[in-house]
Amino acid sequence: MGILLDGKSLAQQERQRVMEKIKSCKTQPKLAVILVGTDPASHTYVHLKQLACQEVGIGFELFAYPTFVSEQELMDRIQRLNARPDITGILVQLPLPGQNPNPLITAIDPKKDVDGFHPENLERLRQGKPTLAPAVALGILKLIEATHLDLPKKHAVIIGSHLFGEPLAHLLSTYGIESFVISASDSDLSQKTITADILISAVGHPGLITKEMVKAGAVVIDVGTTKVEQKIVGDVMPDVLEVAGWMTPVPGGVGPMTVALLLINVLAAYQQQKISE
Ligand code: GUN
């Protein structure tokens, strides 16, 4: 049997560290979140981010808009937030119910882009320069580090979108891990997953990964979250733990780590802004 990677307790340790550092900040870092529409999952995630900010002493301001708000109104809000020195981090909760997220993300001041989705920050990541990187990818790295495996030359397979997979693949390469990003509809899915020392699934398709698809002793990171009969389930079948070396549970794996790494990004963005003032 493999070992469950406890994201909840790892996230708690990370939050504790952020809390200590926030205490020594001269002013309070503050996160602004733009939330559009009524999607229950988005509302839940934003609420979790708010609670986490409050716990560690980061300020939080929510800007909630109705489903049919215009892109221009959101753009105006982002520009006002960019201009406010007390706001040190900005994120637009995704997915949006119809608006195009790209011009909005691009409008965020890259120094305040705590999601690490701004094209300038993604480019800096590609070039190996220090930058704000996506919290989910950073959280996954911390979970992989927690295995204490020797990582160079390991082979990772990432199932998911390009937007999710590309920054993660770059971060993994800094550890000497070679990764391939593939789609869930890949015709050779199981032939590819079985070769992975590290298998990361971010699809949102319950039961996608079965134990026949997993190499013995692999690290399996489940990023999927789908609501099934009032319960949140991942992409990976629970019995994969019989063959995997390590596996993240859903809930309690990647989710809490993503929130904790967002807090680390808010602190990093704040520190960067204070240095360049
Ligand atoms: N929706 C799902 N994950 C994320 C995330 O990391 N950031 C934002 N802004 N929205 C999301």
Side-chain angles (χ1 to χ4, degrees):
M1 280 295 268
I3 299 167
L4 277 178
L5 285 166
D6 183 354
K8 210 170 156 186
S9 74
L10 208 55
Q12 184 55 41
Q13 292 166 28
E14 296 292 341
R15 293 211 299 260
Q16 190 65 36
R17 274 201 277 273
V18 175
M19 197 185 320
E20 295 304 320
K21 288 186 182 151
I22 299 283
K23 281 184 194 148
S24 59
C25 291
K26 285 206 191 85
T27 53
Q28 191 190 35
K30 192 171 196 182
L31 173 66
V33 172
I34 294 174
L35 173 63
V36 184
T38 56
D39 175 49
S42 289
H43 278 256
T44 302
Y45 293 140
V46 168
H47 184 59
L48 291 174
K49 291 172 186 179
Q50 179 169 16
L51 290 179
C53 283
Q54 282 164 350
E55 184 198 67
V56 301
I58 291 173
F60 185 93
E61 252 182 73
L62 176 64
F63 297 87
Y65 290 91
T67 305
F68 297 106
V69 65
S70 70
E71 279 168 33
Q72 190 54 52
E73 193 172 339
L74 298 174
M75 195 70 100
D76 291 346
R77 171 61 65 193
I78 289 170
Q79 268 145 12
R80 272 181 280 159
L81 292 170
N82 283 343
R84 274 177 58 181
D86 65 317
I87 296 290
T88 55
I90 303 170
L91 70 82
V92 178
Q93 185 64 30
L94 302 175
L96 293 173
Q99 298 81 359
N100 180 0
N102 297 330
L104 299 171
I105 290 167
T106 307
I108 296 173
D109 178 345
K111 290 198 203 72
K112 298 188 180 185
D113 166 41
V114 289
D115 260 334
F117 292 161
H118 192 289
E120 246 179 62
N121 287 330
L122 291 171
E123 183 55 30
R124 288 178 66 83
L125 190 62
R126 256 178 237 126
Q127 294 174 353
K129 292 182 181 163
T131 187
L132 292 163
V136 61
L138 294 171
I140 290 170
L141 282 185
K142 294 259 180 200
L143 285 160
I144 295 172
E145 278 177 4
T147 64
H148 300 293
L149 279 172
D150 188 29
L151 298 176
K153 303 209 169 63
K154 290 274 187 282
H155 170 71
V157 171
I158 303 166
I159 313 171
S161 68
H162 187 70
L163 181 67
F164 167 78
E166 204 221 21
L168 178 57
H170 276 282
L171 286 168
L172 290 170
S173 73
T174 65
Y175 288 68
I177 300 168
E178 179 198 38
S179 358
F180 289 91
V181 183
I182 59 174
S183 140
S185 56
D186 192 295
S187 55
D188 294 328
L189 190 64
S190 54
Q191 283 101 307
K192 290 179 179 163
T193 58
I194 196 84
T195 66
D197 304 308
I198 300 169
L199 178 60
I200 301 164
S201 182
V203 180
H205 179 159
L208 176 72
I209 306 297
T210 60
K211 62 181 179 183
E212 294 75 25
M213 297 165 73
V214 175
K215 184 174 175 176
V219 180
V220 180
I221 307 286
D222 192 350
V223 195
T225 50
T226 309
K227 209 169 195 177
V228 178
E229 293 166 6
Q230 301 307 311
K231 273 174 60 186
I232 298 289
V233 297
D235 292 346
V236 180
M237 294 288 279
D239 64 0
V240 166
L241 197 56
E242 290 170 20
V243 284
W246 290 265
M247 182 170 136
T248 59
V250 175
V254 174
M257 287 304 286
T258 304
V259 176
L261 270 292
L262 170 67
L263 303 178
I264 293 179
N265 274 355
V266 175
L267 180 62
Y270 167 88
Q271 286 166 337
Q272 193 190 351
Q273 286 158 51
K274 296 301 143 188
I275 291 166
S276 62
E277 251 173 23

